């Protein structure tokens, strides 16, 4: 069985795209490689398509990323140290009000 995490849409006929894609993959040269891998590995094996493998690698890289822009943090630290960092109080107040409005709409 080939799993393609990117293909999960349903066609108008009601057939899942992943099923239709699996038929195309099975008939392609790449599908033949997958068939050979399955026959060597046994009946209880799973073969990921190249799209699923790419998605898995991208997900792993995202998990490993820190999400911190070190250059921006350093720039802000320096601006605070030298006194050039200015707070826009009106913008902060507006964002607080917006977040309160959003919370009220959710829980109100």
């Amino acid at each position: 069985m080939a799993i393609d995490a990117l293909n999960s849409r349903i066609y108008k006929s009601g057939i899942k795209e992943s099923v239709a894609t699996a038929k195309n993959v099975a008939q392609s040269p790449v599908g033949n490689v997958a068939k050979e891998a399955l026959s060597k590995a046994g009946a209880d094996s799973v073969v990921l398509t190249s799209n699923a493998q790419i998605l898995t690698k991208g997900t792993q890289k995202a998990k490993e990323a820190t999400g911190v822009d070190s250059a921006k943090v350093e720039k802000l630290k320096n601006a605070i140290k030298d006194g050039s960092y200015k707070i826009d109080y009106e913008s902060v107040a507006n964002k607080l009000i917006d977040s309160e409005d959003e919370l009220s709409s959710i829980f109100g």
Side-chain angles (χ1 to χ4, degrees), residues 88-101:
D88 183 354
Y89 295 105
E90 187 173 335
S91 175
V92 172
N94 286 333
K95 288 179 183 180
L96 280 171
I97 292 168
D98 291 344
S99 67
E100 284 295 321
D101 290 343

Side-chain angles (χ1 to χ4, degrees), residues 34-100:
K35 283 182 190 177
E36 290 174 23
L38 280 174
S39 65
K40 290 179 185 176
D44 293 334
S45 297
V46 174
V47 177
L48 298 177
T49 63
S50 60
N51 286 342
Q53 291 172 358
I54 291 169
L55 180 63
T56 301
K57 287 178 187 175
T59 302
Q60 186 61 35
K61 283 186 179 183
K63 286 180 182 178
E64 293 170 357
T66 63
V68 176
D69 185 349
S70 301
K72 187 173 184 178
V73 170
E74 201 58 38
K75 182 179 174 183
L76 287 170
K77 282 183 180 181
N78 290 336
I80 292 168
K81 281 182 189 176
D82 67 22
S84 63
Y85 182 75
K86 302 294 180 205
I87 299 172
D88 183 354
Y89 295 105
E90 187 173 335
S91 175
V92 172
N94 286 333
K95 288 179 183 180
L96 280 171
I97 292 168
D98 291 344
S99 67
E100 284 295 321

Side-chain angles (χ1 to χ4, degrees), residues 11 19-29 31:
Y11 286 122
V19 173
T21 303
K23 289 178 185 175
N24 293 337
V25 169
Q27 295 169 355
S28 72

